[in-house]
Amino acid sequence: MPAPRKYPDELRERAIRLVMDLVEEPGGPSINGACLRVGDQLGINGDTLRNWVKQARVDAGKAPGVTTEDKARIAELEREVRELRRANAILKSASAFFAAELDRPSTR
């Protein structure tokens, strides 16, 4: 279960938009500078905002990396692999148990 979000989605989107607008202005600050400025104004940690902006740029195709959608799919597949490995381990144990039962001489 993911951790609860400290900031509402609306605030996150607004902060990202403000940073991107500042960066795209002619002679505007760097992404780091814009994150610090907007973060101070909105009460968001600059590093947190920088991570949001970085992920938004990846999701928009403006920067290389793994998109949010792909990260969710990878996490889902990893969960599925864990479940399948666990099921396989249970089935192996069960088959070994029943094979031993069949090999045991009957007492009847």
Side-chain angles (χ1 to χ4, degrees):
M1 177 180 270
R5 291 186 174 223
K6 182 176 179 180
Y7 302 103
D9 289 336
E10 297 82 21
L11 178 63
R12 176 188 290 239
E13 292 167 8
R14 180 174 175 234
I16 292 169
R17 191 173 53 251
L18 288 171
V19 169
M20 297 308 292
D21 289 346
L22 277 175
V23 170
E24 291 172 1
E25 287 179 2
S30 66
I31 289 179
N32 292 341
C35 287
L36 291 174
R37 186 185 307 169
V38 171
D40 284 343
Q41 292 172 351
L42 298 178
I44 302 171
N45 183 298
D47 291 331
T48 300
L49 183 51
R50 191 176 305 114
N51 289 336
W52 294 348
V53 170
K54 179 181 175 186
Q55 190 62 51
R57 289 174 44 87
V58 169
D59 290 345
K62 295 180 181 178
V66 181
T67 64
T68 304
E69 184 178 305
D70 288 344
K71 283 182 183 180
R73 180 69 177 140
I74 290 168
E76 178 185 332
L77 291 172
E78 287 173 345
R79 229 180 347 267
E80 186 176 339
V81 167
R82 276 193 307 275
E83 291 172 11
L84 290 172
R85 285 185 177 155
R86 183 171 172 262
N88 278 343
I90 291 169
L91 290 172
K92 283 180 185 178
S93 297
S95 66
F97 173 78
F98 287 118
E101 286 291 313
L102 291 175
D103 288 341
R104 194 173 76 181
S106 69
T107 56
R108 292 184 205 172

